[in-house]
Amino acid sequence: MIRLKRNNFALIITSLLLTSCFREDEVVVPQKPGDVETVVIEMLPDYTIQTWFSFEHGIVSSGNRDSWDLAIETQEGNYTLWLNTSLFMYAAHTGIADFSVPLQTAGMEWKFDASDGSETGNAIGKWWTADGSGFRENGEVILIDRGIDSEGMPRGYLKIQPRIDPQSGAVSIRIARPDGADERVLDFPRDPARRFSTLSFDNGAPDPQTEPPAGRWDLLFTTYTTLLFTNTGEPYPYLVNGVLLNDTLVMAALDTLKPFAEIDRDYAETLWLSHQRDIIGYEWKQINGDVTSGDITYTAQSDWTYLVRNREGLFYKMRFIDFYNNQGKKGYPTFEFQRL
């Protein structure tokens, strides 16, 4: 992990643990347990790679984490915009509707998206309204801090103004530098087959989309921004390396009591499962050394087991056994899993 502090921002994070269950009429026929399999995820030592993983299909997709800036919800009636927090991105509300007004970045109230995936922790918030004639934007100009690249260098600032076409419902993003230079408009497609559709401020919407269809993946291995606390309880943002859920279709729980080999389906069904996006998170690896100096190593918490119920209602157990490859390079999460 790389500790990164920020001045002039407000930390608004709601820690909501969303527990849920599948529909009562959804019956999954028990199967014979599968074999224990081992998977290595290649994030690379600078953590530049994001990887989408399925317990059924293995690695589904991967790509560079700086290939997109914004993601948009694809569910009908939901236009929530999410920052690419793997780049340590922030947003600030300006209260201004006139896009031509030059803006200053100093003194703004900067926010980042909550890593638990709760909409109450979304930095941009609800930028649209609905009435009898359909959906329309509120017109506010929003400042974006594009975060940092893989070498820790700033990626700069932009201002954006999301738009909704009143006839088609299509979304576009008006973009410029804070002083108004380099103004352009990018279309933001919303593919209903995906959890999110993504957009790059540099290159527009990628084709194919960065994220695979929602029914094809369970876990995303990536860096992301979260909120940590000092020994005195002072909050600060931190860029961590971990695992996020496909949180509309997949549920998970952590068990630290029972050995991995002894966990079966009957035991898994006694646990409370959560849709919380960062329920697996980053704490499956223990930090050894001094974080402030960067002289650290990682040890996998191999006695921690995560139980995951996937999109098909099947249970899997997984545990992390390493964070290094055979050459001793970090950034290669290694885990075992088994279908129960």
Side-chain angles (χ1 to χ4, degrees), residues 63-81:
N64 197 301
R65 62 188 171 99
D66 66 2
S67 66
W68 63 281
D69 293 281
L70 281 183
I72 191 169
E73 294 274 355
T74 59
Q75 298 166 326
E76 186 176 354
N78 189 345
Y79 295 89
T80 304
L81 294 170

Side-chain angles (χ1 to χ4, degrees), residues 5-193:
K5 289 190 176 180
R6 184 70 57 105
N7 295 323
N8 299 320
F9 63 86
L11 300 172
I12 303 178
I13 295 292
T14 303
S15 180
L16 297 175
L17 183 63
L18 304 175
T19 56
S20 180
C21 61
F22 285 74
R23 298 185 300 271
E24 291 183 3
D25 61 349
E26 186 175 305
V27 177
V28 178
V29 178
Q31 301 183 30
K32 180 181 177 181
D35 296 328
V36 175
E37 300 182 45
T38 302
V39 177
V40 179
I41 301 294
E42 186 180 48
M43 298 179 73
L44 300 183
D46 56 3
Y47 313 126
T48 54
I49 303 298
Q50 293 181 315
T51 298
W52 287 263
F53 175 82
S54 163
F55 288 106
E56 298 170 272
H57 308 293
I59 294 174
V60 177
S61 178
S62 62
N64 197 301
R65 62 188 171 99
D66 66 2
S67 66
W68 63 281
D69 293 281
L70 281 183
I72 191 169
E73 294 274 355
T74 59
Q75 298 166 326
E76 186 176 354
N78 189 345
Y79 295 89
T80 304
L81 294 170
W82 297 92
L83 303 172
N84 184 349
T85 67
S86 75
L87 301 175
F88 212 55
M89 290 180 65
Y90 285 76
H93 288 271
T94 67
I96 296 172
D98 184 351
F99 195 76
S100 66
V101 174
L103 298 175
Q104 300 294 321
T105 59
M108 301 301 295
E109 185 178 353
W110 295 100
K111 305 175 184 177
F112 61 89
D113 289 336
S115 59
D116 64 5
S118 62
E119 291 193 1
T120 54
N122 178 264
I124 293 177
K126 191 173 181 180
W127 56 272
W128 73 97
T129 57
D131 53 30
S133 61
F135 300 96
R136 55 189 173 83
E137 69 276 5
N138 63 21
E140 184 184 18
V141 179
I142 299 165
L143 272 172
I144 301 292
D145 179 342
R146 298 187 66 190
I148 58 174
D149 61 20
S150 60
E151 296 180 355
M153 300 302 294
R155 300 176 71 232
Y157 296 88
L158 291 174
K159 60 181 178 181
I160 68 170
Q161 191 176 47
R163 296 169 167 178
I164 301 176
D165 185 281
Q167 275 73 47
S168 66
V171 176
S172 61
I173 306 288
R174 192 177 183 184
I175 301 169
R177 295 180 183 176
D179 63 3
D182 196 23
E183 181 177 341
R184 58 204 185 279
V185 176
L186 298 176
D187 294 328
F188 206 153
R190 299 173 70 222
D191 182 352

Side-chain angles (χ1 to χ4, degrees), residues 272-289:
W272 285 101
L273 301 175
S274 171
H275 283 295
Q276 181 177 314
R277 190 178 297 171
D278 60 356
I279 188 68
I280 294 179
Y282 65 93
E283 292 181 297
W284 45 265
K285 57 186 180 306
Q286 185 176 16
I287 301 174
N288 312 297

